[in-house]
C-alpha cells in the first residue's frame, strides 16, 4: 500500500490543521451551531438537539475541545460525578477561520531549505 505523504508547506500552520479538524466535519459544525445559540449546556442537551448519537457527540466534543473551539467548565480528568457544560469560544473560532481563509487565498508553496534538495 502506498504511503501518503504531505508536502512541506510552511503555510500549513497548526491553526490551519485545527480548522480542518474542527470545521471539516458536518456533525462538529452542527454542534458548534447549537452551542452558539444555546450554550453553555451539558452533553445530554447536545445529544438531544443534534443528529448524532451519544458516543459520536462525545468524540466530536473531545475533538472540538482539543482544537480550542469549545470551552468546558470542568477540567478534563476531574469530571467524575459532575456534568460538564459546553460553550463555544468565539475568539478561537475567528482565529481558526481566518487562518484557514488566509491559507486558501494566499497559498504559497513555502519549502524548507532542505526540501528542494531531492529536486536537483
Amino acid at each position: 500500500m502506498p504511503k501518503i505523504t504531505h508536502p512541506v508547506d510552511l503555510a500549513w500552520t497548526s491553526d490551519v490543521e485545527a480548522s480542518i479538524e474542527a470545521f471539516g466535519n458536518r456533525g462538529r459544525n452542527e454542534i458548534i451551531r447549537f452551542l452558539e445559540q444555546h450554550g453553555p449546556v451539558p452533553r445530554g442537551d447536545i445529544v438531544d438537539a443534534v443528529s448524532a448519537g451519544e458516543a459520536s457527540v462525545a468524540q466530536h466534543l473531545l475533538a472540538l475541545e482539543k482544537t480550542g473551539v469549545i470551552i468546558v467548565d470542568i477540567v478534563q480528568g476531574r469530571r467524575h460525578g459532575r456534568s460538564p457544560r459546553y460553550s463555544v469560544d468565539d475568539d478561537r473560532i475567528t482565529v481558526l477561520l481566518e487562518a484557514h481563509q488566509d491559507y486558501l487565498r494566499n497559498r504559497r508553496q513555502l519549502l524548507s531549505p532542505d526540501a528542494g534538495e531531492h529536486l536537483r
Side-chain angles (χ1 to χ4, degrees):
M1 178 175 262
K3 181 179 178 183
I4 296 174
T5 61
H6 298 282
V8 177
D9 186 348
L10 300 178
W12 186 271
T13 65
S14 60
D15 281 346
V16 174
E17 185 76 28
S19 175
I20 299 296
E21 175 83 15
F23 310 127
N25 178 285
R26 186 175 184 163
R28 292 180 189 154
N29 282 273
E30 190 176 352
I31 290 169
I32 292 167
R33 287 173 49 97
F34 174 76
L35 289 175
E36 187 68 46
Q37 292 181 348
H38 303 284
V41 297
R43 183 170 61 196
D45 289 4
I46 299 167
V47 171
D48 291 343
V50 302
S51 58
E54 184 157 352
S56 183
V57 168
Q59 291 300 312
H60 289 315
L61 290 172
L62 285 173
L64 291 170
E65 184 179 359
K66 178 180 147 193
T67 63
V69 170
I70 63 168
I71 300 167
V72 185
D73 67 355
I74 299 173
V75 177
Q76 194 166 16
R78 298 185 181 185
R79 297 180 183 173
H80 185 69
R82 297 190 57 198
S83 180
R85 296 170 60 83
Y86 299 87
S87 58
V88 295
D89 183 336
D90 288 321
D91 292 336
R92 181 66 175 154
I93 288 173
T94 299
V95 166
L96 294 184
L97 289 173
E98 287 175 355
H100 196 171
Q101 184 176 38
D102 184 57
Y103 176 78
L104 293 174
R105 291 191 170 176
N106 301 305
R107 185 164 195 254
R108 294 183 260 346
Q109 189 70 22
L110 302 173
L111 296 175
S112 68
D114 298 334
E117 287 183 16
H118 71 282
L119 298 175
R120 291 183 191 151

